[in-house]
Amino acid sequence: MGADPVKYQLDESQIPTAWVNLLPDLPGEPLPPLNPQTGDPAGPPDLTPIFPMGLIEQEVSAEPEIPIPEEVRDIYRLWRPTPLIRARRLERELDTPAHIYFKYEGTSPAGSHKPNTAVAQAYFNREEGVRKLVTETGAGQWGSALALATRLFGMECEVFMVGVSYDQKPYRRAMIETWGGTVHRSPSDLTEAGRSQAEHASGSLGIAISEAVEVAAGSEDTNYSLGSVLNHVCLHQTVIGQECIEQMGLAGESPHVVIGCVGGGSNFAGIAYPFLRQRLREGTQTRFIAAEPAACPTLTRGRYAYDFGDTVGMTPLMPMYTLGHDFVPPPVHAGGLRYHGDAPSLSALVKEGLVEAKAIAQTAAFEAAVRFARCEGIIPGPEPAHAIRAVFDEAEAAKQAGEERVILFNLSGHGHFDMSAYTAYFAGELEDLEMPDEELAAALESLPEAPALA
Amino acid sequence: MGADPVKYQLDESQIPTAWVNLLPDLPGEPLPPLNPQTGDPAGPPDLTPIFPMGLIEQEVSAEPEIPIPEEVRDIYRLWRPTPLIRARRLERELDTPAHIYFKYEGTSPAGSHKPNTAVAQAYFNREEGVRKLVTETGAGQWGSALALATRLFGMECEVFMVGVSYDQKPYRRAMIETWGGTVHRSPSDLTEAGRSQAEHASGSLGIAISEAVEVAAGSEDTNYSLGSVLNHVCLHQTVIGQECIEQMGLAGESPHVVIGCVGGGSNFAGIAYPFLRQRLREGTQTRFIAAEPAACPTLTRGRYAYDFGDTVGMTPLMPMYTLGHDFVPPPVHAGGLRYHGDAPSLSALVKEGLVEAKAIAQTAAFEAAVRFARCEGIIPGPEPAHAIRAVFDEAEAAKQAGEERVILFNLSGHGHFDMSAYTAYFAGELEDLEMPDEELAAALESLPEAPALA
């Protein structure tokens, strides 16, 4: 207690003025996405039906910095800069010499990091005359972030919500509607894709994506919007890590290890890529840990290969770690981490050994999240609970080594809309679903024909 | 847009070092609470079975400043100082010359201002060897705040939750359990009071209070804790208004009008009392508006009289505006505003004409809350939605007058656990329940015999 601060705050004038694009700094030649029909590198014409040129350019940009438009920064000001917090109570609880810092993205109105890219995507679409954005959502974090962002730019938002979530999570739906968005239960009868899947009444993210893409592709003034995986999404999130660099400077420390959870990779990229650029350019020795669910072990047990981004095979082929686009993750509570692939940029970094991947069991994640909440107050979302588990392990390693290591992690969102998962945890009803080897091997058989990756 | 900030931030070293006790500045002699048996002024012996001396002294203190213990400030640092935000987007939406500022207390881990007093109460109890705090909760805001606070001091917490809320709001319950609190459905079979009310299976706040007080009174190391109404509770909340004074200074403005919603009065007192002291001492002309629900119109249609604080008549008689302790407010969604009485200090200020009271219909409150959320992002709790409605009216008045008035209000909490109320609003299912005169008159017949108040 006393004079040493708990929170490191920046002024809103210190919101970054550019996003960090790590593409030009990645080792080796970038692997292009491929057109699934021709097998040729996919170019802008493959994407213009559903994305605006402003975002397509960011997707392939060789510029290390992408300026953030003032209108986007103006909206970021509603909640950014977010706090960097030293978890002093947690350090005492863990009896570790490690210094544990977390960046808290749960202060955004939607409760996670997702609005960082939703606002940017809404802006670049509106600049090109797009009137409506369509997307899919599972648990609802992404759908609510996009509803908020489009509203602030006077646009419309249509969200296809996975049927089972639509039924079980009415509160995220209410949030989307409060911000003026329209929510459809998927599969719906509004699209060809939805009607063709009517017998799968509980829906899936794959079906919901297909419905959203179909609506976007079929309308002039309507585009599609994706909440993770793509390069433009990952780079929008780098406001997180850039603020952390400033804030760690205020604390007079720099991280030995940076930790984030990974579903598609965007919150991890957000905190890690600015520090990764320092490592690549300046030779800093920071370690990076990507924490993924053991039930959906893309980076730890998947294959590095070209695969579709969606389940039904409509998107370009992307070079990434994948479990196969047919893989249906078991229903773990970290809905935001249930994705068969990962961002190509993050996959390349794991392949190069610059990022370590670690699989975390669900109950271990919740055990850590509850302990965290009882020290620091904030109740974490199930997704960052996986990062917290990895933090505990690093804090223990520091204790074993007797070293005062600095650990930084991304608390990407709160768990206010996930309390049923905590209830299940306390009731002893959470299962740890390890995937059998045969099941993973079977899913990988769905990989499309494409050049093998080294 | 541009250089003018949206948020006014303080450093954690600027968390106030003392609470403002308005009692010595209130006009006239303070009216004492009365022992319900003897009719004599109630003293500490009436309160020691359930409260620690540290809080009893604050309840009647003549000191204008009560120092905040460093251990309490250290916990405040987890989320305080909270931001003061200029609602520039809302001003444009309302097309008003008014400058609208709001203090956002939803950044606390529990999502409202309640932890400000929960932490203080836990501290003063622990200082006197109390090991456990027991309380009641309706919608769950207060119960979760106390669970958080006790946990941070290594104490236990037991919450009697109104039966119907226990069944309908499992997520607040999960939050309490995440912080290590125990939740009982009230009426329970754990207490005499609960067993005697078993036939009222859906429970009420009155029954839950009786159960909690019974447990506290019957155990040496267990005390009771109340989340509003009492002077020590109101004064703990004045960290809000003191921070606002600093932050308005940063903005270079001072409020023409300060607005808060009122249930028992604590969040209103929190933002208003420091400014009220300025008015009483320095003659500033700030106006103060207490926004209460039309369905529970204590200040606007109640009587100024001695009444019990609870429904079953166990507490001392308090001088306050009341609808009669038998009054059962209709089930409006602003659960935190459903109280038959109001803080004696606030009641005295209304009686003196220093605070204006205004009754707000539920649908008008939600209409304002949705418009607010679509401009500023944050989804307000149903309680502060009442304050927002009053803000809209003041902003319109400023427009009519063509005056650049400065409006400050307390956004006391977010609505993440109240989304079902928004769903009901969008479905057109919210009712505006005006109380018929006969019903109010009937409830007032429950007033106990006591000296009449001027």
Side-chain angles (χ1 to χ4, degrees), chain A residues 6-7 12 77 80 178, chain B residues 6-7 12 77 80 374:
Chain A
V6 163
K7 300 186 294 299
E12 60 193 51
R77 296 201 297 166
R80 303 207 72 86
T178 299
Chain B
V6 162
K7 300 186 294 297
E12 59 193 53
R77 297 200 296 165
R80 304 207 71 84
R374 290 179 179 182

Side-chain angles (χ1 to χ4, degrees), chain A residues 228-240:
Chain A
S228 189
V229 177
L230 298 177
N231 189 53
H232 70 268
V233 182
C234 289
L235 71 85
H236 294 155
Q237 294 294 351
T238 62
V239 290
I240 300 171

Side-chain angles (χ1 to χ4, degrees), chain A residues 108-130:
Chain A
S108 82
S112 80
H113 65 294
K114 291 290 186 193
N116 295 331
T117 184
V119 169
Q121 292 189 43
Y123 170 83
F124 287 106
N125 274 285
R126 195 213 55 187
E127 284 297 281
E128 297 181 30
V130 174

Side-chain angles (χ1 to χ4, degrees), chain A residues 1-2 4-7 9-10 12 70 74-75 77 80 89 174 177-179 373-374 377 414 416 423, chain B residues 1-2 4-7 9-10 12 70 74-75 77 80 89 174 177-179 374-375 377 414 416 423:
Chain A
M1 202 173 85
D4 292 332
V6 163
K7 300 186 294 299
Q9 289 186 154
L10 301 175
E12 60 193 51
E70 270 309 308
D74 192 48
I75 291 178
R77 296 201 297 166
R80 303 207 72 86
R89 287 170 191 275
E177 289 169 348
T178 299
W179 286 320
R374 290 178 179 183
H414 60 60
H416 298 173
T423 301
Chain B
M1 201 175 85
D4 293 333
V6 162
K7 300 186 294 297
Q9 289 186 154
L10 300 175
E12 59 193 53
E70 270 309 307
D74 192 47
I75 291 179
R77 297 200 296 165
R80 304 207 71 84
R89 286 170 191 275
E177 289 169 348
T178 299
W179 286 320
R374 290 179 179 182
C375 294
H414 60 62
H416 298 173
T423 300

Side-chain angles (χ1 to χ4, degrees), chain B residues 162-372:
Chain B
V162 176
V164 62
S165 299
Y166 183 94
D167 298 337
Q168 291 176 354
K169 303 204 166 184
Y171 298 143
R172 274 281 169 199
R173 178 160 39 109
M175 196 175 208
I176 294 171
E177 289 169 348
T178 299
W179 286 320
T182 304
V183 187
H184 306 298
R185 191 186 186 286
S186 171
S188 76
D189 58 2
L190 301 168
T191 67
E192 191 84 17
R195 288 187 293 271
S196 79
Q197 303 289 323
E199 76 271 26
H200 302 299
S202 61
S204 76
L205 214 47
I207 299 170
I209 294 177
S210 303
E211 292 206 81
V213 169
E214 182 182 326
V215 169
S219 169
E220 267 298 297
D221 61 358
T222 301
N223 265 347
Y224 173 70
S225 190
L226 189 67
S228 191
V229 177
L230 298 177
N231 189 53
H232 69 268
V233 182
C234 290
L235 72 84
H236 294 156
Q237 294 295 351
T238 60
V239 290
I240 301 171
Q242 292 183 77
E243 287 177 8
C244 283
I245 288 175
E246 292 301 313
Q247 290 165 311
M248 293 297 302
L250 292 179
E253 305 214 83
S254 63
H256 293 95
V257 56
V258 177
I259 299 174
C261 63
V262 170
S266 79
N267 97 78
F268 177 85
I271 195 164
Y273 284 9
F275 288 101
L276 260 158
R277 186 160 82 177
Q278 289 185 333
R279 173 163 167 179
L280 291 165
R281 291 187 178 180
E282 300 159 29
T284 56
Q285 289 304 305
T286 314
R287 290 170 56 217
F288 298 89
I289 299 177
E292 66 180 10
C296 186
T298 316
L299 295 171
T300 48
R301 298 172 70 195
R303 186 179 300 168
Y304 191 53
Y306 271 109
D307 197 4
F308 295 108
D310 67 327
T311 305
V312 291
M314 296 171 71
T315 73
L317 297 174
M318 294 187 293
M320 60 183 179
Y321 280 95
T322 177
L323 295 164
H325 61 277
D326 268 4
F327 181 75
V328 178
V332 288
H333 283 277
L337 306 184
R338 296 176 66 238
Y339 184 62
H340 69 274
D342 266 316
S345 55
L346 172 58
S347 296
L349 289 159
V350 170
K351 186 73 185 163
E352 289 288 331
L354 287 160
V355 170
E356 306 162 37
K358 180 160 188 168
I360 307 282
Q362 163 162 265
T363 51
F366 274 91
E367 187 267 336
V370 168
R371 244 173 125 185
F372 177 87

Side-chain angles (χ1 to χ4, degrees), chain A residues 1-12 15 70-81 85 88-89 92 104 106-111 148 151-152 168 170-172 174-181 369-370 373-379 414-420 422-423 426, chain B residues 1-12 15 70-72 74-81 85 88-89 92 104 106-111 148 151-152 168 170-181 369-370 373-379 414-420 422-423 426:
Chain A
M1 202 173 85
D4 292 332
V6 163
K7 300 186 294 299
Y8 295 89
Q9 289 186 154
L10 301 175
D11 194 76
E12 60 193 51
I15 294 170
E70 270 309 308
E71 269 190 86
V72 172
R73 288 185 80 232
D74 192 48
I75 291 178
Y76 282 171
R77 296 201 297 166
L78 293 178
W79 70 92
R80 303 207 72 86
I85 300 175
R88 294 180 187 274
R89 287 170 191 275
R92 289 198 290 273
Y104 185 41
T107 59
S108 82
L148 167 67
R151 183 75 203 188
L152 293 171
Q168 291 175 354
Y171 299 142
R172 273 282 168 198
M175 195 174 209
I176 295 171
E177 289 169 348
T178 299
W179 286 320
V370 168
R374 290 178 179 183
C375 295
E376 300 295 325
I378 299 165
I379 298 179
H414 60 60
H416 298 173
F417 291 82
D418 307 283
M419 295 312 296
S420 62
Y422 281 88
T423 301
F426 289 122
Chain B
M1 201 175 85
D4 293 333
V6 162
K7 300 186 294 297
Y8 295 89
Q9 289 186 154
L10 300 175
D11 195 76
E12 59 193 53
I15 294 170
E70 270 309 307
E71 270 190 85
V72 172
D74 192 47
I75 291 179
Y76 282 171
R77 297 200 296 165
L78 293 178
W79 71 93
R80 304 207 71 84
I85 301 175
R88 294 181 187 274
R89 286 170 191 275
R92 290 198 290 274
Y104 184 43
T107 60
S108 82
L148 168 67
R151 183 74 203 188
L152 293 172
Q168 291 176 354
Y171 298 143
R172 274 281 169 199
R173 178 160 39 109
M175 196 175 208
I176 294 171
E177 289 169 348
T178 299
W179 286 320
V370 168
R374 290 179 179 182
C375 294
E376 300 295 326
I378 299 165
I379 298 178
H414 60 62
H416 298 173
F417 291 82
D418 307 283
M419 295 312 297
S420 61
Y422 281 87
T423 300
F426 288 123

Side-chain angles (χ1 to χ4, degrees), chain A residues 46-52 55 121 125 129-136 142 146 155-160 184 188 190-193 207-226 314-315:
Chain A
D46 294 286
L47 300 171
T48 46
I50 58 171
F51 292 123
L55 294 177
Q121 292 189 43
N125 274 285
V130 174
R131 198 180 51 77
K132 187 200 281 191
L133 290 179
V134 188
T135 197
E136 74 289 338
W142 170 241
L146 195 66
M155 302 165 72
E156 290 178 37
C157 184
E158 207 171 318
V159 180
F160 288 89
H184 306 299
S188 77
L190 301 169
T191 67
E192 191 84 16
I207 300 170
I209 293 178
S210 302
E211 292 206 82
V213 169
E214 181 182 326
V215 169
S219 168
E220 266 300 297
D221 60 357
T222 301
N223 264 347
Y224 173 70
S225 190
L226 189 67
M314 294 170 73
T315 72

Side-chain angles (χ1 to χ4, degrees), chain A residues 172-422:
Chain A
R172 273 282 168 198
R173 180 160 38 110
M175 195 174 209
I176 295 171
E177 289 169 348
T178 299
W179 286 320
T182 304
V183 188
H184 306 299
R185 191 186 187 286
S186 171
S188 77
D189 58 3
L190 301 169
T191 67
E192 191 84 16
R195 287 188 294 271
S196 78
Q197 303 287 324
E199 76 271 27
H200 301 301
S202 59
S204 76
L205 215 46
I207 300 170
I209 293 178
S210 302
E211 292 206 82
V213 169
E214 181 182 326
V215 169
S219 168
E220 266 300 297
D221 60 357
T222 301
N223 264 347
Y224 173 70
S225 190
L226 189 67
S228 189
V229 177
L230 298 177
N231 189 53
H232 70 268
V233 182
C234 289
L235 71 85
H236 294 155
Q237 294 294 351
T238 62
V239 290
I240 300 171
Q242 292 183 76
E243 287 177 9
C244 283
I245 287 175
E246 292 301 313
Q247 289 165 312
M248 293 297 303
L250 292 178
E253 304 215 85
S254 63
H256 294 95
V257 55
V258 177
I259 299 174
C261 63
V262 170
S266 79
N267 97 78
F268 178 85
I271 195 164
Y273 284 9
F275 288 100
L276 261 158
R277 188 159 80 176
Q278 290 185 332
R279 172 161 167 180
L280 291 165
R281 291 186 180 181
E282 300 159 29
T284 57
Q285 289 303 304
T286 315
R287 289 170 57 217
F288 298 89
I289 299 176
E292 66 179 10
C296 187
T298 316
L299 294 171
T300 49
R301 296 172 70 196
R303 186 179 299 168
Y304 191 52
Y306 270 108
D307 197 4
F308 295 107
D310 66 328
T311 305
V312 292
M314 294 170 73
T315 72
L317 298 174
M318 294 187 293
M320 61 183 179
Y321 279 94
T322 176
L323 295 164
H325 61 276
D326 267 3
F327 182 76
V328 179
V332 289
H333 282 277
L337 305 185
R338 295 176 67 239
Y339 183 62
H340 70 275
D342 266 316
S345 56
L346 172 58
S347 296
L349 288 160
V350 170
K351 187 71 186 165
E352 290 286 331
L354 288 159
V355 170
E356 305 161 39
K358 182 163 188 168
I360 306 282
Q362 162 162 268
T363 51
F366 274 91
E367 187 268 337
V370 168
R371 245 174 125 185
F372 177 88
R374 290 178 179 183
C375 295
E376 300 295 325
I378 299 165
I379 298 179
E383 293 84 1
H386 290 71
I388 294 173
R389 174 74 256 173
V391 168
F392 281 26
D393 296 341
E394 290 299 312
E396 178 61 24
K399 185 176 174 182
Q400 295 301 331
E403 289 180 11
E404 204 178 73
R405 298 181 189 157
V406 177
I407 303 170
L408 169 66
F409 76 98
N410 195 3
L411 184 48
S412 56
H414 60 60
H416 298 173
F417 291 82
D418 307 283
M419 295 312 296
S420 62
Y422 281 88

